[in-house]
Amino acid sequence: MTSTYALAIASSASELQAPLLREFLQRYVSYRVFFNVSMPFSGYSMEFHLPYYALRQSAIPYRDSRPLRRCGRFITTRNTGLPEYLYEAQISVIVTGFDEWFWTAYCCTDTYFGSEKNIHFYHDGGPSGYDAPGGGDRPNHDPIWNPREYFLNVLSRRFRQITKEWSIVVYTIEDRLQFHEASIFYDKIHPFDGAKREASLVDDAKFSRTKEFTWIVELLRLLHNALTKTIESWENFEEGEIQYFQVEDKDILRMDWSRYLEGIEKDMAELRLLRTSLHQKIEMFDNKRNGLVNASVMVESRDATDQGRNIGLLTRVTVAYLPLSLGTGIFSMVIMPKQANWEAYALLLIFLAFLTLAIAFRSHAMKATAMGSWQWLKRAVTERF
């Protein structure tokens, strides 16, 4: 769907269909999930929008030239081969008309990454071509005339398509993330390695593993949220508008329509399992990331403690040499009497040592001893000189 095609659709729509198509195209462009059956003043409309993610291998990524959808690099390993890219895509279908005999179907799909068959297959394949909104699963010479049955047929086939795409994405993620569980399981080929397990709990100086786990969690949350929106939107649709597809008086229609709805329920059950798997992976890698952060904090705390101990040792050495430096400085002053000798120098060093240790370690006993030594030193110096 390009802007030119959108303009062609809008210009050829009737006055009654124009508001419905405007909202339909807006939902398709905005990449949002939506299920709805409405009965306006004249006519009816049935529509669905199924956004999903698809995984493809290619040497270079396919870019959406419009651009409406994004693509990104997928999780890679050494044995991946060609690069893998994750693509945004959406399938949108609306069936609108006045009664069960006069109606029109519009279908918009994203094909920029090779998700659909080419146009020649739909127009020229087989004796009469194939139905494009249904993905080419039904030949045009065997149409479905009832609009509600046609809507259910297309919806069930498109649900099957996106379920396959979601399964490929989630199962590939599980396969890519298995190497993070290597430290848990071991056998004869891969014996238990305690050092390797211990190393897996600590990050490097650049926090490479923390950054990797953060990116993985962001990817898992993106996919989980998208799946949750699809599942919850369908559950809301089941509680309300699904009543328009319940028939009581025609057994053949009821059997066919029930088959379509049962197929959708099977696909929804698979999508719920995929969502549960993503939720478990989110919890696991969230815990791994938090564990790495806590381990890094503990390592930094231990390093800070060791540095504090080293600084304390350096301080003690400095304190030990302080009395010697101070005593030498005093006896080197020019105002000292010439009669000062080594005995006075030794007595001064003893006093300064006691005083320094008393101040450094806040010892009252050593302070008292230092003051007593100072009084004794004064008397000794007075008697000497």
Side-chain angles (χ1 to χ4, degrees):
M1 170 64 68
T2 63
S3 58
T4 304
Y5 293 154
L7 180 61
I9 292 175
S11 60
S12 61
S14 64
E15 184 177 352
L16 295 176
Q17 287 183 343
L20 296 174
L21 289 178
R22 181 177 62 248
E23 296 179 359
F24 169 76
L25 293 175
Q26 189 273 333
R27 294 187 185 102
Y28 169 73
V29 171
S30 60
Y31 192 71
R32 53 172 295 191
V33 59
F34 186 75
F35 301 94
N36 184 56
V37 175
S38 62
M39 298 292 180
F41 179 74
S42 177
Y44 59 87
S45 68
M46 300 172 286
E47 67 176 302
F48 69 84
H49 302 263
L50 290 173
Y52 65 97
Y53 289 92
L55 186 64
R56 296 291 186 273
Q57 272 190 335
S58 59
I60 58 175
Y62 300 104
R63 302 293 183 182
D64 187 4
S65 59
R66 293 171 287 184
L68 291 177
R69 310 294 183 234
R70 299 173 298 175
C71 72
R73 189 72 178 266
F74 198 63
I75 302 173
T76 58
T77 60
R78 295 180 179 178
N79 301 323
T80 301
L82 287 176
E84 294 175 330
Y85 298 94
L86 192 66
Y87 297 94
E88 287 183 344
Q90 179 165 314
I91 302 172
S92 299
V93 172
I94 184 171
V95 177
T96 178
F98 300 100
D99 52 35
E100 292 192 347
W101 304 106
F102 187 81
W103 51 274
T104 307
Y106 298 90
C107 177
C108 299
T109 61
D110 294 322
T111 61
Y112 67 98
F113 59 94
S115 60
E116 297 285 331
K117 301 178 179 66
N118 57 47
I119 192 173
H120 299 289
F121 170 82
Y122 293 119
H123 283 281
D124 304 328
S128 59
Y130 294 95
D131 182 57
D137 288 343
R138 192 180 188 92
N140 287 330
H141 67 265
D142 184 23
I144 297 176
W145 298 108
N146 187 284
R148 287 183 291 175
E149 182 180 358
Y150 180 79
F151 179 81
L152 286 178
N153 175 70
V154 174
L155 178 61
S156 64
R157 295 183 184 281
R158 291 301 184 174
F159 247 120
R160 186 187 313 165
Q161 176 184 344
I162 71 161
T163 301
K164 291 180 180 179
E165 296 287 1
W166 274 113
S167 300
I168 292 173
V169 172
V170 176
Y171 293 151
T172 304
I173 285 180
E174 293 180 347
D175 179 70
R176 296 289 184 272
L177 300 182
Q178 279 185 353
F179 71 94
H180 290 289
E181 303 172 356
S183 60
I184 300 176
F185 301 100
Y186 59 94
D187 49 28
K188 294 181 180 180
I189 301 177
H190 303 89
F192 175 75
D193 190 348
K196 183 178 180 180
R197 175 177 293 185
E198 183 178 354
S200 65
L201 302 176
V202 182
D203 206 349
D204 56 17
K206 296 182 179 180
F207 300 100
S208 301
R209 302 188 67 205
T210 301
K211 295 177 182 178
E212 178 187 6
F213 288 166
T214 300
W215 182 82
I216 291 175
V217 169
E218 290 178 354
L219 173 62
L220 293 174
R221 289 191 186 280
L222 175 69
L223 300 175
H224 179 270
N225 293 340
L227 261 180
T228 299
K229 291 178 182 179
T230 300
I231 294 171
E232 291 181 351
S233 296
W234 173 253
E235 291 174 349
N236 293 333
F237 181 75
E238 276 189 315
E239 295 176 358
E241 288 88 347
I242 200 68
Q243 62 179 334
Y244 294 108
F245 301 94
Q246 297 174 353
V247 290
E248 301 294 341
D249 55 342
K250 297 181 180 180
D251 293 337
I252 297 178
L253 289 180
R254 184 169 64 251
M255 292 177 59
D256 291 339
W257 296 9
S258 297
R259 186 176 68 252
Y260 295 138
L261 293 174
E262 288 173 0
I264 294 174
E265 283 301 323
K266 290 181 181 179
D267 293 330
M268 290 302 301
E270 177 69 17
L271 293 179
R272 291 187 182 97
L273 290 176
L274 297 177
R275 181 180 63 171
T276 301
S277 176
L278 290 174
H279 180 71
Q280 293 172 348
K281 293 295 181 183
I282 290 173
E283 289 186 345
M284 183 179 73
F285 281 92
D286 239 350
N287 293 334
K288 282 180 173 288
R289 180 182 59 180
N290 294 336
L292 284 176
V293 172
N294 294 335
S296 300
V297 170
M298 293 178 64
V299 170
E300 292 179 358
S301 177
R302 185 178 59 186
D303 293 341
T305 301
D306 293 340
Q307 292 178 0
R309 291 173 181 173
N310 295 333
I311 293 174
L313 179 60
L314 180 61
T315 302
R316 292 187 183 92
V317 172
T318 304
V319 169
Y321 280 93
L322 182 60
L324 180 60
S325 301
L326 184 57
T328 303
I330 292 174
F331 270 79
S332 64
M333 294 191 305
V334 296
I335 62 174
M336 287 298 296
K338 296 182 179 180
Q339 293 83 2
N341 55 17
W342 288 102
E343 294 179 3
Y345 180 70
L347 292 175
L348 180 62
L349 288 182
I350 294 172
F351 166 73
L352 292 176
F354 274 102
L355 182 61
T356 302
L357 293 176
I359 295 174
F361 297 99
R362 296 181 177 85
S363 174
H364 297 288
M366 295 187 70
K367 288 181 180 180
T369 304
M371 295 306 297
S373 301
W374 171 249
Q375 298 296 332
W376 177 80
L377 179 61
K378 287 173 61 178
R379 291 194 302 268
V381 171
T382 302
E383 295 174 355
R384 182 72 177 175
F385 303 103

